[in-house]
Amino acid sequence: MNLSLLFGALVLGLLTGGVYGVMASGLALTFGVMRIINVGHAALVITGAFISYEVFRHLHLDPFAGLVITMPLMFLIGVVLEVLFIRPLKTDREELSVLVTWALALALEGVLGYFFGTDLVQTTVSYGNSTFVVGGVHIADVYIYGFLLAIAAMAALAALLYRTNLGAAIRATMLNRQAAQLIGIDVERVSAISFGIGAALAGVGGTVYGIVNAFNPDSHYDLIGHLLVIVVLGGVGSMRGAFLAALLIICIQDITQVMISPDWADLSFFVVLTIMLVVRPQGFFGVRVREAT
Amino acid sequence: MIGASISQTGDFSSDGNFVKQAYQLWADQVNSQGGLLGRKVEMKFVNDASSTQQVVTNYQTLISSDHVNLVFGPFSSLLTIPSSEIASRYGYAFVEPAGGSQEVFTRGLHNVFEAEPQAGYKDMTVFGHWLLSLPAGQRPKTAAYVSEQDPFIGPEVEALKNVLQAGGVKTVYNQTYPIENPDYSPLALAIANTKADVAALGVNIPDGTAFTRDFIQQDYNPKAIIYANGPDQGTTWISKVGQNNLNGMTAPIAWLPQLNTYGNKQMVAGYLKKYGGNAAGMSGDVAEAYSVGQVIQQAAEAAHSVSNAALIKALHSMTFKTVQGNFAFNKLGEPTGSLFLGQWVNHKWVRVYPPAAAQAKPIYPKPAWGQG
Amino acid sequence: MTGSRPGWAKLRGCVVALAFCLAFPTLFPGSGVLNIALLTLMYVALASSWNILGGFAGYISLGVSAFFGIGAYSMGLILEHLIHMSGGYGPFALVPLAGLIAAVVAIPLGWVALRTRHAVFATATIAIMFVFQLLATNLSGITGGSAGLGYPVPTWTGDFYDKPFYYAMLVVAVVGVIIAWMVRRSGVGLGLLAIRDDEDKAEAIGVPTWSYKLVAFVLSAFVAGMVGAVYGYYTTYIYPQFVIDPLISIGAALMAFLGGSGTLVGPVLGALILEPAQLELGFHVNGQIYLILYGAVFLFVILLMPRGIVPSVGALIDSRRARRRGAPLAAPPPTQQPPTAEAVAR
């Protein structure tokens, strides 16, 4: 057993997992507040990747710096989408949301394809190839930056949720939507804002994704399966859970990929999911949800 | 009227686009010279979204509802196989640009022809032959193989592995990965760890670039490296891997913009005029698709007819001159030519093997990343 | 909603529809048209079977494609390794077997997946689908992996070729609709509707929710498996990523919703409208616009007609009837609550 290889895979898994964690936490937030599964979340991630790519290309801003543009823009997109397409869903919200968000994903893919074409692109930053060495293994710098960004985003999210009035309103809505409404919280507004935050987080993830991988409007298909599994694993309403689940599962995937084979790596994802569903269907941090009407 | 199903969206969309451009270019050029046997060519394109469901519907509709006279094939073996069945049912000739997996030819059909010098699944063996032709002291000792699980590319790498293994090169890594795999770093890490002399990558552009960057980061410098696709794709490739890393990269090629093959100058000039860009940036897909048109044209002229039955007969019996060189088809519709090895030498994409057809001497070992 | 008159009218309607379907290939012999008709029938079957769990019980399953794929692969593998038949009418006999295999596989899967509630369940079914796609790709020794799997090819000529497949698909579609009908008439059906209304309450009054959901899941898989088998045979060559494709599940769900999930006619109507439209659209429209339009139609349907065409139109007719009779307008059409068992039994 090649220890340095194992170590390298572990480090890689943690760093990449952090980025997936940010993406997944946006998904978890949306579910927690609105009880909807946004299968279009990956499409939002890719949208974020394209935005940061364009910002990089036309404004020559480093994508990390460009987040000052990408994030608010994604937030806005999220809010608009929520108000236009999700708020009108009055009945059977949970079930219909899957279909609506899928439709949004398709439409987003079409729009992105229309404006950017279907060629694969990548945000190739100049420092993209520089690495640092740890334990005898080379790790690209961008992975570290991405991970630090992920941590910062999660910290900012936690601060928002636990130290602001808005955050309190969000948490209240997550706990019990009707009760929150009764005590005067404008749950519709909170929903829109939460969706926007989710989109912004997707944008953060997308920015890093776009630096490390080549992507095109089609790329969301591959991504959504992973994100959904991560969120289920972590417990659908829990952002903390999503982040940790992402770290765990991406590590397992990377280690399997290196030590066994790439085929079984993908499968390991779903094996872990199955085990989880059998043993603890609510995920790591989820709570057995009483069906809200 | 000629019908063709094009992947305008979905997995094959970027190649599909090149194919459409080439088909249309060919049609325009043929028309400007009096048409096909005096008849004006009209292309009808439909989108198959890279889906086998849609491609079946498309060709059925084109043939039985739109009554097109002829059909051209779509991009990729995946789509070629089901659509060739439909064409066969109606007795239509099916000349296609890129369906090269073994299964395309073993379905018992008589109307399928791949317009490339060599059946796709044998493409990479030329690299193996080159390496084994090096003097014993220089020959590589170990090789790492990694490839997409693609019906076209997977067998290519397999075939290469068989050639090299038979020649005494030890296999130190051999894995395949699902096409949807988004993260190649762990794989690249494992390969770099083996420090193999040769790296054989069964990839397309996205994974090819990912592996390259990871190899650069890992400071892994194989003595020779081959990509199933990538280095031959012009500007798309160069912009992603960087000019300084090009020298030494190889890929199998059938075509180069500067070759003096039949109709090539005309095609390149016409393409640049119609679609812009520069010659070095043109994709090999364009040549493949254009060859389809050339083959049909020559078959029609030889048979003095555009009926499918006559064309099929002609296709089985003639040798054709195309922008990719000259070749004929065997009983199964497999082309009987051979491919060349292309390599970036002094920042030029040239043919380096077999020696008789080479434009430059191949580089070995490959210069370290960033220095070539 | 009384009496046997609506019952007779419906029966007559079904017979007429069936007669039309049987005569269709003779009326419209072009194979392009038959191809579209065949695929439409495929989705009639898929949408109806999806509806058993998705519409009646409200549990959105996106795993339909997995069972579709299992059916297709089962049939292909049996033909390849076990029973060597040449192309022709023979292989059709294997279709029910393929469905059965899919149903059997569905049992343990449903066992695990149904331990979760609505939203998570949808994710679990997505996962099931991806797993099967992976298995189909990776167990390449058996399934041929990404190189795909071939079927024996019938020697029927061009224009005739589609006809037997059309009829086969018609049979499967009819079976699918009948199964859905039988479920809805039965105790299981009422139980499922109760689950949709309020699962906790249903459990409280003694409805064996988990068993009923499992039955629905398995029946759904059975039909999907049969559809997959016929489809695989029709295209003569299958690949993992095309036979186990999320778009198949989504399509079935969308059609059921468009027509009216929870009703019998709904999925049929939805398929009849959407599938030909989708195929024609794909044929004529440029790729990106196609996606945008598809998404837009989707959104339109779900946002403006969440109950689907049949119930919405039904409610409209009802309110018109009430007004014409001069009766005081009843409470506004029940669009705010999920349809109860009686309201759905139209």
Side-chain angles (χ1 to χ4, degrees):
Chain A
M1 161 112 74
N2 191 326
L3 272 181
S4 88
L5 197 58
L6 183 62
F7 185 68
L10 187 64
V11 173
L12 214 54
L14 283 175
L15 296 180
T16 328
V19 179
Y20 275 82
V22 173
M23 296 187 216
S25 61
L27 193 54
L29 178 63
T30 313
F31 182 78
V33 173
M34 304 169 68
R35 288 273 174 281
I36 68 171
I37 296 248
N38 179 10
V39 292
H41 197 71
L44 285 172
V45 170
I46 300 295
T47 309
F50 269 108
I51 293 181
S52 80
Y53 173 72
E54 287 295 305
V55 164
F56 177 67
R57 270 207 324 163
H58 294 296
L59 300 179
H60 301 291
L61 259 183
D62 178 273
F64 288 105
L67 279 173
V68 295
I69 300 182
T70 314
M71 275 184 76
L73 201 54
M74 288 301 298
F75 178 78
L76 222 66
I77 292 177
V79 170
V80 167
L81 288 178
E82 198 277 340
V83 169
L84 281 182
F85 300 113
I86 305 194
R87 189 173 291 193
L89 287 179
K90 298 290 181 214
T91 56
D92 297 322
R93 194 164 243 220
E94 275 192 32
E95 297 103 35
L96 291 182
S97 68
V98 174
L99 298 180
V100 169
T101 50
W102 182 266
L104 284 176
L106 287 181
L108 265 178
E109 183 186 336
V111 168
L112 287 175
Y114 188 75
F115 285 111
F116 299 114
T118 51
D119 277 346
L120 287 154
V121 293
Q122 191 165 356
T123 324
T124 31
V125 291
S126 54
Y127 49 89
N129 281 342
S130 56
T131 62
F132 69 100
V133 185
V134 63
V137 177
H138 288 266
I139 305 282
D141 286 347
V142 282
Y143 281 110
I144 293 281
Y145 298 148
F147 187 72
L148 290 175
L149 178 64
I151 299 285
M154 294 305 289
L157 184 64
L160 176 73
L161 285 177
Y162 289 95
R163 289 182 201 273
T164 66
N165 284 338
L166 175 64
I170 294 180
R171 277 183 297 130
T173 314
M174 285 176 74
L175 269 178
N176 189 327
R177 197 181 173 87
Q178 282 183 325
Q181 221 164 1
L182 285 174
I183 62 173
I185 294 181
D186 182 351
V187 289
E188 295 291 348
R189 197 167 146 260
V190 167
S191 298
I193 293 182
S194 306
F195 200 82
I197 296 178
L201 288 171
V204 170
T207 304
V208 183
Y209 187 83
I211 299 179
V212 179
N213 303 298
F215 61 95
N216 69 359
D218 227 9
S219 308
H220 70 105
Y221 280 117
D222 309 336
L223 204 48
I224 192 64
H226 286 58
L227 290 179
L228 287 174
V229 171
I230 291 175
V231 163
V232 169
L233 219 60
V236 274
S238 164
M239 283 148 281
R240 208 182 332 159
F243 193 76
L244 290 173
L247 290 177
L248 176 70
I249 219 175
I250 301 284
C251 273
I252 293 181
Q253 181 185 267
D254 279 359
I255 293 179
T256 315
Q257 205 172 59
V258 172
M259 312 297 322
I260 307 182
S261 94
D263 305 335
W264 299 111
D266 244 357
L267 209 54
S268 69
F269 227 76
F270 297 107
V271 166
V272 175
L273 174 71
T274 313
I275 297 177
M276 193 47 124
L277 285 177
V278 172
V279 167
R280 196 185 154 91
Q282 65 267 38
F284 290 144
F285 289 90
V287 169
R288 273 245 158 226
V289 176
R290 239 201 64 232
E291 291 289 293
T293 39
Chain B
M1 189 158 62
I2 305 186
S5 175
I6 302 285
S7 306
Q8 291 173 345
T9 53
D11 289 336
F12 310 129
S13 51
S14 58
D15 307 282
N17 195 34
F18 290 130
V19 167
K20 178 167 177 234
Q21 287 180 334
Y23 282 165
Q24 189 61 60
L25 177 67
W26 172 81
D28 293 342
Q29 291 189 336
V30 162
N31 284 338
S32 72
Q33 289 165 5
L36 191 64
L37 288 186
R39 297 164 65 166
K40 194 154 176 290
V41 171
E42 192 193 319
M43 296 297 306
K44 183 164 169 100
F45 296 114
V46 286
N47 178 26
D48 56 38
S50 309
S51 133
T52 45
Q53 230 179 327
Q54 189 72 41
V55 84
V56 163
T57 307
N58 284 353
Y59 278 104
Q60 281 216 301
T61 317
L62 283 171
I63 293 179
S64 71
S65 299
D66 292 344
H67 300 294
V68 297
N69 304 93
L70 302 172
V71 288
F72 283 172
F75 183 83
S76 126
S77 314
L78 254 52
L79 299 179
T80 302
I81 295 181
S83 26
S84 60
E85 295 271 358
I86 298 175
S88 163
R89 248 175 263 151
Y90 288 94
Y92 273 63
F94 203 72
V95 185
E96 41 93 0
S101 77
Q102 231 175 336
E103 288 78 20
V104 171
F105 308 107
T106 55
R107 301 285 290 158
L109 300 173
H110 298 290
N111 63 326
V112 183
F113 306 91
E114 185 192 3
E116 275 202 89
Q118 189 174 19
Y121 68 97
K122 298 199 193 108
D123 274 357
M124 285 168 90
T125 50
V126 62
F127 177 72
H129 293 304
W130 166 55
L131 288 177
L132 293 177
S133 74
L134 294 170
Q138 289 187 356
R139 248 177 261 162
K141 309 256 182 329
T142 53
Y145 306 89
V146 71
S147 129
E148 265 186 40
Q149 284 161 1
D150 174 284
F152 188 57
I153 295 182
E156 277 188 52
V157 175
E158 266 297 301
L160 172 63
K161 182 165 73 88
N162 292 338
V163 167
L164 283 176
Q165 257 178 213
V169 180
K170 183 154 166 256
T171 304
V172 292
Y173 187 86
N174 183 21
Q175 293 284 6
T176 60
Y177 55 88
I179 302 185
E180 308 84 41
N181 183 32
D183 193 7
Y184 307 99
S185 305
L187 290 170
L189 196 63
I191 296 176
N193 205 49
T194 65
K195 300 205 193 350
D197 290 332
V198 174
L201 309 175
V203 291
N204 279 303
I205 294 192
D207 27 346
T209 41
F211 276 112
T212 311
R213 305 179 103 234
D214 284 327
F215 289 162
I216 297 175
Q217 289 164 5
Q218 298 296 328
D219 215 14
Y220 164 59
N221 288 298
K223 293 201 187 127
I225 187 167
I226 181 164
Y227 300 77
N229 293 293
D232 59 323
Q233 297 285 325
T235 22
T236 326
W237 180 255
I238 304 174
S239 64
K240 293 204 168 55
V241 298
Q243 281 273 356
N244 294 339
N245 297 311
L246 285 177
N247 283 346
M249 288 183 172
T250 71
I253 42 163
W255 171 82
L256 287 172
Q258 60 267 40
L259 284 181
N260 213 358
T261 44
Y262 184 74
N264 202 22
K265 278 212 187 50
Q266 205 187 350
M267 178 187 84
V268 173
Y271 184 87
L272 294 178
K273 187 153 166 237
K274 199 172 158 87
Y275 301 110
N278 64 2
M282 282 173 70
S283 155
D285 294 339
V286 171
E288 290 170 6
Y290 193 83
S291 308
V292 170
Q294 289 182 307
V295 165
I296 286 281
Q297 185 176 11
Q298 289 166 30
E301 281 163 7
H304 297 294
S305 152
V306 288
S307 88
N308 279 290
L311 286 176
I312 294 179
K313 213 152 155 271
L315 286 164
H316 272 301
S317 52
M318 289 170 57
T319 307
F320 296 91
K321 302 184 285 194
T322 74
V323 295
Q324 297 181 95
N326 303 347
F327 51 88
F329 300 104
N330 69 8
K331 237 179 354 147
L332 300 174
E334 277 186 16
T336 55
S338 64
L339 247 52
F340 309 103
L341 186 67
Q343 190 178 43
W344 282 96
V345 179
N346 288 328
H347 295 264
K348 285 215 203 29
W349 178 242
V350 288
R351 275 195 304 210
V352 294
Y353 192 85
Q359 295 168 290
K361 252 193 86 173
I363 307 179
Y364 181 88
K366 189 186 85 63
W369 300 114
Q371 287 167 25
Chain C
M1 270 301 317
T2 60
S4 56
R5 224 181 317 151
W8 268 121
K10 277 208 307 176
L11 191 58
R12 257 207 322 261
C14 288
V15 171
V16 169
L18 197 60
F20 177 70
C21 287
L22 286 169
F24 191 85
T26 351
L27 294 172
F28 302 96
S31 91
V33 177
L34 269 190
N35 168 270
I36 297 182
L38 194 157
L39 290 174
T40 306
L41 282 176
M42 175 170 111
Y43 274 97
V44 165
L46 286 175
S48 299
S49 72
W50 178 89
N51 200 29
I52 302 176
L53 185 61
F56 296 166
Y59 266 66
I60 304 241
S61 162
L62 293 177
V64 170
S65 345
F67 300 111
F68 180 86
I70 293 177
Y73 268 101
S74 303
M75 177 127 158
L77 288 171
I78 294 177
L79 284 169
E80 173 107 343
H81 298 289
L82 291 177
I83 309 176
H84 292 285
M85 274 190 237
S86 53
Y89 293 101
F92 283 122
L94 291 176
V95 169
L97 182 58
L100 212 58
I101 295 178
V104 167
V105 172
I107 299 178
L109 291 178
W111 203 287
V112 172
L114 287 167
R115 287 167 64 88
T116 64
R117 288 295 180 85
H118 287 227
V120 180
F121 175 72
T123 310
T125 59
I126 295 180
I128 290 177
M129 187 196 65
F130 277 119
V131 169
F132 275 99
Q133 197 181 72
L134 279 171
L135 284 178
T137 316
N138 291 340
L139 297 177
S140 47
I142 308 178
T143 63
S146 51
L149 184 67
Y151 282 63
V153 184
T155 49
W156 303 319
T157 57
D159 270 343
F160 179 72
Y161 188 84
D162 284 29
K163 290 204 175 100
F165 286 102
Y166 171 83
Y167 285 115
M169 203 57 100
L170 180 61
V171 168
V172 174
V174 169
V175 167
V177 173
I178 290 182
I179 290 183
W181 178 69
M182 281 170 36
V183 167
R184 222 203 29 200
R185 272 165 54 99
S186 73
V188 176
L190 282 179
L192 290 173
L193 289 167
I195 292 175
R196 183 185 185 160
D197 274 357
D198 188 329
E199 183 155 4
D200 292 312
K201 243 186 246 155
E203 247 181 59
I205 63 174
V207 174
T209 55
W210 185 84
S211 320
Y212 281 11
K213 285 187 286 182
L214 188 61
V215 166
F217 190 71
V218 171
L219 284 175
S220 226
F222 175 63
V223 177
M226 288 200 294
V227 176
V230 177
Y231 178 77
Y233 188 28
Y234 177 64
T235 51
T236 73
Y237 206 88
I238 55 177
Y239 298 95
Q241 65 268 43
F242 288 117
V243 177
I244 306 183
D245 181 356
L247 288 177
I248 298 179
S249 310
I250 295 282
L254 176 65
M255 290 170 201
F257 264 101
L258 174 62
S261 66
T263 68
L264 261 195
V265 178
V268 176
L269 192 61
L272 285 174
I273 297 179
L274 274 190
E275 180 64 4
Q278 185 184 320
L279 287 171
E280 279 302 304
L281 201 65
F283 192 72
H284 293 291
V285 168
N286 163 287
Q288 307 307 322
I289 313 277
Y290 170 76
L291 278 177
I292 302 181
L293 276 182
Y294 196 70
V297 167
F298 228 114
L299 289 168
F300 176 83
V301 168
I302 297 175
L303 293 176
L304 292 175
M305 281 193 292
R307 288 271 66 83
I309 294 184
V310 170
S312 304
V313 167
L316 205 64
I317 294 180
D318 265 354
S319 68
R320 285 244 181 88
R321 245 185 237 150
R323 237 175 295 164
R324 230 179 286 139
R325 278 195 224 118
L329 196 52
T335 48
Q336 290 305 315
Q337 304 122 33
T340 59
E342 310 97 67
V344 166
R346 37 169 100 240

